[in-house]
Amino acid sequence: MSLHRPAAVKNMWVSIAQSRFMTPHAFQYYCAASGIFSSLLFFLGFAAADFLPPIKPWWTAEKTAEHYQHHTHRVRIGASMIALSGLFYMPFCAAISSQMRRVPNLHYVVQQLQLSAAAAGLWTFVLPAIILATTSYRPERNPEITQTLNDFFWICTLMPWQTFMVQNFCFSYAIVIDQRSKPLFPKELAIFNMIIPFFWTASTGIHFTKFGPAAYNGALSFWFLGISFCGQLIIDAVFLLRAIHSEPEGGEQIVDMFPNRLPKGDPEVAPGKDI
């Protein structure tokens, strides 16, 4: 049973649907710009929680708990901002996946691997935010519990870089194999996305030490990782916006590669059929 709507209401919805803010291009622009918002929210979340610079891993349980007791509201705000950064991360990755499909003869497993790694990487935003929110929920608790949750937050935030490396390598692969005279992305962006993940690998061993550049507050495990990660999101988003701008308004043919497609004349293909 359809609802009867006045003509003015129908015209309003038609006007909204045909608005330039609702075009496929506009939607992709929103998704690409989400990478910038994700980066800024992630950075500002740490700033809000007074984690720039990070608290020290060698602090006693009492001193660690004191930080959460004195900055309870700031930590709670920071946790919310870090969680929201994950909200913007997924549309950004979906826009990358969509533009990767425009590359001729790109095997669909590359695009699917990039998108599935993005879905897994979302938890690198959400889970630490949940842990941080839990830590700040009862700051008056036993200091040793607060210290344990604090360690859990930093390790969960900095250690899981692997899914992002997979994303970068898939994106770089798509850029490299695009040999058209006017490729979607410059080859320098592929080199950039292949090099940046190696700045993150030092965080693999943050649970081995509480001092020095490899600790969770150190130059390698925190500063290099954080700056390169947030900076990469912004740079990729800018080039993604340019790629979207080059897409025809009416869309273009997507070239998929199907490994199960057998050539004509293959004995496994039944006569008169093209699989």
Side-chain angles (χ1 to χ4, degrees), residues 169-214:
F169 284 1
C170 289
F171 187 34
S172 297
Y173 177 82
I175 296 173
V176 169
I177 70 166
D178 190 354
Q179 296 300 313
R180 293 173 293 181
S181 58
K182 292 183 178 180
L184 287 179
F185 302 97
K187 296 296 183 284
E188 292 78 7
L189 188 63
I191 297 173
F192 175 75
N193 275 272
M194 283 189 287
I195 292 176
I196 285 297
F198 292 100
F199 285 95
W200 310 334
T201 57
S203 66
T204 307
I206 58 175
H207 56 299
F208 282 91
T209 181
K210 300 180 182 67
F211 305 93

Side-chain angles (χ1 to χ4, degrees), residues 149-170:
L149 289 171
N150 172 74
D151 292 341
F152 192 24
F153 162 74
W154 287 102
I155 291 174
C156 279
T157 302
L158 302 177
M159 199 181 227
W161 50 266
Q162 297 81 2
T163 57
F164 302 112
M165 175 178 275
V166 171
Q167 284 184 260
N168 278 36
F169 284 1
C170 289

Side-chain angles (χ1 to χ4, degrees), residues 31-255:
C31 291
S34 292
I36 299 174
F37 291 125
S38 178
S39 175
L40 293 177
L41 278 171
F42 192 70
F43 172 81
L44 292 175
F46 281 83
D50 199 21
F51 284 160
L52 294 178
I55 63 178
K56 307 302 185 288
W58 63 82
W59 280 0
T60 62
E62 288 73 19
K63 188 169 180 60
T64 301
E66 185 178 324
H67 175 89
Y68 285 89
Q69 292 164 359
H70 290 176
H71 303 87
T72 301
H73 294 299
R74 290 189 58 175
V75 174
R76 290 171 177 171
I77 293 171
S80 298
M81 295 176 74
I82 293 172
L84 285 174
S85 68
L87 168 68
F88 289 99
Y89 184 71
M90 283 305 297
F92 168 70
C93 295
I96 290 180
S97 178
S98 176
Q99 291 303 307
M100 286 173 62
R101 293 187 64 204
R102 295 176 62 195
V103 176
N105 297 320
L106 178 69
H107 199 294
Y108 65 73
V109 74
V110 181
Q111 177 253 340
Q112 291 296 313
L113 181 58
Q114 185 274 336
L115 196 57
S116 61
L122 173 65
W123 283 100
T124 306
F125 299 88
V126 177
L127 181 58
I130 293 173
I131 297 170
L132 190 60
T134 304
T135 309
S136 64
Y137 189 60
R138 301 183 192 275
E140 72 284 354
R141 68 167 69 84
N142 186 322
E144 292 183 356
I145 298 177
T146 297
Q147 185 182 49
T148 299
L149 289 171
N150 172 74
D151 292 341
F152 192 24
F153 162 74
W154 287 102
I155 291 174
C156 279
T157 302
L158 302 177
M159 199 181 227
W161 50 266
Q162 297 81 2
T163 57
F164 302 112
M165 175 178 275
V166 171
Q167 284 184 260
N168 278 36
F169 284 1
C170 289
F171 187 34
S172 297
Y173 177 82
I175 296 173
V176 169
I177 70 166
D178 190 354
Q179 296 300 313
R180 293 173 293 181
S181 58
K182 292 183 178 180
L184 287 179
F185 302 97
K187 296 296 183 284
E188 292 78 7
L189 188 63
I191 297 173
F192 175 75
N193 275 272
M194 283 189 287
I195 292 176
I196 285 297
F198 292 100
F199 285 95
W200 310 334
T201 57
S203 66
T204 307
I206 58 175
H207 56 299
F208 282 91
T209 181
K210 300 180 182 67
F211 305 93
Y216 69 60
N217 70 322
L220 293 177
S221 295
F222 179 78
W223 293 107
F224 282 10
L225 186 155
I227 293 173
S228 62
F229 181 78
C230 291
Q232 178 219 308
L233 286 181
I234 295 174
I235 292 172
D236 283 351
V238 171
F239 281 98
L240 187 58
L241 288 166
R242 292 177 57 185
I244 294 169
H245 182 71
S246 71
E247 185 175 338
E249 286 291 342
E252 64 184 9
Q253 182 179 4
I254 302 298
V255 183

Side-chain angles (χ1 to χ4, degrees), residues 5-14:
R5 296 185 178 90
V9 175
K10 291 181 180 179
N11 292 336
M12 179 192 71
W13 284 113
V14 170

